[in-house]
Amino acid sequence: MKLLTQVYTILQFAETEFARRRGQVHTLYALTSMSNSHHVSISDVYMSFDRDEDSRHVLQDISFEIAHGEFLCLIGPSGCGKSTLLRLVGGLIEPTSGSIRIDNLTPAEAQAKKAFGFVFQEPALLAWRTVADNVRLPLEVNLQNNPVNSHSVAELLSLVGLERYAKHYPSQLSGGMLQRVAIARALASGASLLLMDEPFGALDEITRAAMAYELLRIWNADKKSVVFVTHSISEAVTLSDRVAVMSSRPGHIVEMVEINLPRPRTRSMEREPAFRRYSEWLHDLLWQGNRNEQAIAR
């Protein structure tokens, strides 16, 4: 059921634009980087879900900005609202109060312009389509009757290191390869912002570590802005320019930690004192934030 929901979300994005622009020529959307403005701005966001007479407060007082080309990780205890915050930025749900802007557009407006792409924990690929056809799917729908640029699909597959697997089917790929297909598909629309919800969470530890550096290689090619949800401290340190540390529910930002490690990041950095200090700092923030919330709850 979760897989079907994710497939539906991907198709819903494409079909909404198809209906909106029926009969018109639609070109791929690419946002122009604006060095003097924020790519994503989140201001005083609160989120609660109503259940009959009960209301569950999920997020409170969330405010921060993300620069163009920045890689930001969200980390926090299970149930703190990380994925909910990602869904708010992606326009899948609306906040109870507060505002979110993506290059001065609302999430709904940015969604219509294909300004961002989603990558989920499950790749949500269509089993009956080849690797190339799965990557091509958003282009086929969004470009309507215009010919799909096969060269672009080939370039995306080359970018993620899967050019030799274009004619393979999902059942023939490993978990890490499936996620690379999902990343290529998210990039296909020309989105300048990637929203990634624990994309490597279902992978084994060795593959997960390798995929983190593979993602950095892909990101380094054109520096998309990335919001990446994770439970892994080492993954957050490896990937991020900054890490937003969240408290337990109702989730809020405990601290925004800048990761001042040189790029490109390498595996050897994980053994260096600076990497360990960042890891320990994030661990302490998570532990302290969780203990403070438990004390308040009592």
Side-chain angles (χ1 to χ4, degrees):
M1 181 62 69
K2 183 178 180 180
L3 176 61
L4 291 175
T5 300
Q6 293 171 352
V7 171
Y8 173 77
T9 299
I10 293 165
L11 292 176
Q12 186 181 44
F13 285 162
E15 289 170 358
T16 298
E17 182 69 2
F18 181 88
R20 194 177 72 86
R21 293 176 177 256
R22 184 176 292 121
Q24 300 178 18
V25 175
H26 176 61
T27 56
L28 291 179
Y29 178 82
L31 289 172
T32 302
S33 179
M34 297 177 289
S35 58
N36 294 325
S37 65
H38 301 296
H39 196 164
V40 179
S41 179
I42 301 171
S43 179
D44 299 322
V45 164
Y46 285 76
M47 186 67 197
S48 61
F49 294 106
D50 293 327
R51 286 184 173 180
D52 297 327
E53 297 180 356
D54 183 33
S55 181
R56 288 191 303 132
H57 298 289
V58 180
L59 297 170
Q60 67 176 19
D61 195 23
I62 303 290
S63 296
F64 62 89
E65 291 83 29
I66 301 170
H68 285 271
E70 181 176 7
F71 202 124
L72 182 133
C73 278
L74 296 173
I75 193 168
S78 295
C80 73
K82 300 183 297 295
S83 294
T84 298
L85 181 54
L86 202 70
R87 291 167 65 200
L88 287 167
V89 174
L92 299 181
I93 54 177
E94 295 185 358
T96 304
S97 64
S99 68
I100 299 173
R101 291 292 183 269
I102 301 170
D103 271 336
N104 295 320
L105 302 174
T106 66
E109 291 168 340
Q111 183 187 119
K113 291 180 178 293
K114 298 297 177 286
F116 50 76
F118 265 105
V119 181
F120 300 100
Q121 184 170 337
E122 295 293 334
L125 304 180
L126 301 181
W128 59 91
R129 294 179 70 107
T130 65
V131 165
D133 287 341
N134 268 286
V135 174
R136 187 179 290 115
L137 179 61
L139 298 175
E140 288 177 348
V141 177
N142 293 335
L143 291 180
Q144 303 172 32
N145 297 322
N146 292 339
V148 173
N149 189 340
S150 296
H151 183 59
S152 296
V153 173
E155 287 179 343
L156 286 168
L157 291 178
S158 177
L159 177 64
V160 299
L162 292 176
E163 61 270 26
R164 293 168 50 197
Y165 298 88
K167 296 182 179 180
H168 285 61
Y169 289 89
S171 61
Q172 299 172 301
L173 304 182
S174 67
M177 294 166 77
L178 292 172
Q179 281 296 15
R180 281 190 274 169
V181 177
I183 292 169
R185 183 182 57 196
L187 295 171
S189 65
S192 60
L193 172 65
L194 290 182
L195 306 176
M196 309 185 77
D197 193 0
E198 295 192 78
F200 310 142
L203 303 178
D204 64 85
E205 186 173 356
I206 295 173
T207 304
R208 179 172 184 159
M211 282 301 300
Y213 289 99
E214 182 70 7
L215 175 59
L216 284 177
R217 181 189 65 78
I218 295 167
W219 173 77
N220 195 56
D222 58 6
K223 296 292 176 67
K224 307 283 187 186
S225 304
V226 179
V227 184
F228 188 103
V229 171
T230 182
H231 280 103
S232 169
I233 290 175
S234 62
E235 189 172 68
V237 176
T238 297
L239 294 171
S240 300
D241 293 311
R242 290 187 301 160
V243 179
V245 181
M246 297 182 65
S247 71
S248 56
R249 184 179 293 175
H252 62 272
I253 305 300
V254 175
E255 189 157 344
M256 191 71 75
V257 178
E258 289 192 30
I259 307 297
N260 293 314
L261 295 175
R263 293 190 183 275
R265 306 277 165 84
T266 63
R267 287 185 176 86
S268 62
M269 284 185 180
E270 297 181 31
R271 297 188 291 273
E272 295 179 0
F275 190 99
R276 292 198 297 270
R277 283 196 296 270
Y278 279 119
S279 298
E280 291 169 1
W281 185 8
L282 292 177
H283 182 275
D284 290 345
L285 287 170
L286 287 167
W287 178 254
Q288 188 61 44
N290 195 44
R291 289 185 64 184
N292 288 344
E293 295 304 316
Q294 289 176 349
I296 292 172
R298 294 193 190 100

